[in-house]
Amino acid sequence: AAKAAGKGTWRVFSDDMEIRIQERARLQADLRAALKARDGLFVFYQPIIDAGSKTITSREALVRWHHPQRGWISPAEFVPIAEQSGLIDQLGEFVLNTACNDAAGWEDGARVAVNVSAAQLGKGTIAPAVLEALSRSGLSPGRLEIEVTETAMLDDENGGIGDLRRIRDMGVRVALDDFGTGYSSLTHLRAFPFDKIKIDGSFVRDAVERPESAAVVRAIADLGKRLGVTTVAEGVETEAHLNRVLEEGCSEVQGYFYGRPAPSDRDAATVMELNRAAARLAAV
Ligand code: C2E
Ligand code: MG
Ligand code: MG
Ligand code: MG
C-alpha cells in the first residue's frame, strides 16, 4: 500500500505499481490456466520468402493468446511473464508440437521456424522436446528451424550452446534472431555455427532513408555470404523496403509486404469468431 502520509503524487505512483504487480500475477495465473485447458492459445504463421525465386522457404510460428477478458495479448507481453514464472517450457512445447504438426501437413513442404527463449536453454530439456515433437508429428528434422535471439544466448557456460548443438546435430537448422540489436553479435557467430542470421526489422525499415542502416544491412548480408549462412531481412513492410534489402544482398525476406502472421486453416474459423465477438462488443 502507498504511504498514507506521503505526497499525493507518491501515493498515485505506488498504487499504480501495485496494480501493475497484481495485473502481472493475474496474467500469470490466467496463462497457467490457458495452458492447462489448452484454451485461447494459438500459433500463427508468417511466410519467409526466397529473394531469388520469390517462393516460400519457411514460415515463422508466432504464438498468440486470446485472453477471456482482455482479448488478444501480444507475445511481447506474455512471453516474458512465462519466462519469469516457469511456464515457458510448457508454452514452448505447445508451440513446438503445434508447429511441427501443422508443418507436417503443408503441401508446399516449406520449413517451420520456432522461437525458443533463453529460459528454455541450458537445462538439457529442449533437445528431447524437439526430438519428441519431430517423432510425434513425423516432420523431418530438415524442415524445422529453431530461432534464438542474441540476448537469449551464450553469455556463459550455462549449457545453452550444448543444447543448440544437440538440436543442430539432429539436422534441425538454428537461426540467430534480431541480429544487430544486442551486444556482441559477432561473438555469438563465433560461438556457434548458425545456419541463418535474421537482420532485425529496425535496420531494414530504416535502410530506405538512412545510408548508415543500409550499410549495416549490406555488411550483414556480405558477412552471411562469406560464412555461407542465409540472411533474412525481417520487417519488410513496403516495396521500397523490399527493393532496398534485395539490393543489399539479403537472401530471404519476411514482413507485412508478403504477409502478416495468420492462423492455420484449423484455427481460422475460431479466430474469426473471436474477432467478430470483439467487434460486436466494441460496437455496443
Ligand atoms: P521475432 O521472433 O523477432 O518475430 C518477429 C516479430 O515481428 C513478430 O512479432 C512479427 O509479427 C513481427 N513482424 C513481422 N513482419 C513485420 C513487419 O513487416 N513489420 C513489423 N512492424 N513487424 C513485423 P510478434 O508475433 O508480436 O512477436 C514478437 C516477439 O515475441 C517475437 O519476435 C519473439 O521474440 C517473441 N515470440 C513470438 N512467438 C514466440 C514463441 O512461440 N516463443 C517464444 N519464446 N517467443 C515468441
Ligand atoms: Mg523469431
Ligand atoms: Mg526477429
Ligand atoms: Mg524479436
Side-chain angles (χ1 to χ4, degrees), residues 34-272:
L35 279 164
K36 196 163 174 222
R38 286 288 136 97
D39 191 30
L41 287 163
F42 302 91
V43 178
F44 281 25
Y45 299 95
Q46 183 181 35
I48 301 174
I49 280 66
D50 179 72
S53 65
K54 300 287 194 293
T55 56
I56 296 175
T57 61
S58 49
R59 294 181 182 86
E60 181 169 3
L62 295 157
V63 69
R64 294 290 180 265
W65 183 22
H66 189 274
H67 186 276
Q69 281 88 42
R70 288 188 44 192
W72 295 106
I73 299 180
S74 163
E77 187 176 351
F78 70 85
V79 168
I81 291 177
E83 286 170 349
Q84 286 153 25
S85 60
L87 293 170
I88 192 65
D89 293 311
Q90 245 183 293
L91 182 67
E93 275 180 35
F94 163 75
V95 176
L96 200 51
N97 285 315
T98 307
C100 289
N101 282 334
D102 284 342
W106 293 344
E107 279 166 16
D108 63 3
R111 293 190 291 270
V112 67
V114 175
N115 292 283
V116 164
S117 137
Q120 293 171 267
L121 295 176
K123 299 189 283 198
T125 52
I126 183 70
V130 166
L131 197 59
E132 166 104 10
L134 288 172
S135 60
R136 272 212 257 169
S137 62
L139 190 74
S140 89
R143 289 190 52 210
L144 178 64
E145 292 176 359
I146 294 296
E147 297 192 1
V148 292
T149 60
E150 293 191 45
T151 43
M153 293 281 312
L154 338 169
D155 44 345
D156 60 300
E157 333 293 298
N158 68 359
I161 296 258
D163 278 345
L164 289 182
R165 260 185 222 292
R166 277 187 282 277
I167 290 170
R168 195 164 181 272
D169 285 347
M170 295 175 202
V172 173
R173 286 174 170 76
V174 180
L176 184 51
D177 206 351
D178 301 346
F179 189 79
T181 54
Y183 294 107
S184 53
S185 311
L186 296 170
T187 304
H188 292 139
L189 288 182
R190 201 172 50 175
F192 186 79
F194 288 97
D195 301 285
K196 203 169 209 185
I197 299 171
K198 300 191 77 177
I199 308 171
D200 193 68
S202 58
F203 293 108
V204 169
R205 290 188 293 272
D206 215 33
V208 170
E209 269 142 47
R210 294 186 56 214
E212 296 90 336
S213 290
V216 170
V217 173
R218 170 161 304 211
I220 300 172
D222 287 347
L223 182 64
K225 281 176 201 152
R226 295 194 62 137
L227 292 171
V229 167
T230 308
T231 49
V232 186
E234 298 191 280
V236 170
E237 294 179 352
T238 66
E239 196 162 11
H241 294 158
L242 175 66
N243 290 335
R244 172 55 62 191
V245 300
L246 293 181
E247 204 165 299
E248 306 307 349
C250 298
S251 34
E252 297 183 1
V253 183
Q254 177 180 8
Y256 297 164
F257 181 73
Y258 278 115
R260 291 188 176 250
S264 65
D265 292 345
R266 179 174 30 76
D267 290 334
T270 311
V271 167
M272 210 184 284

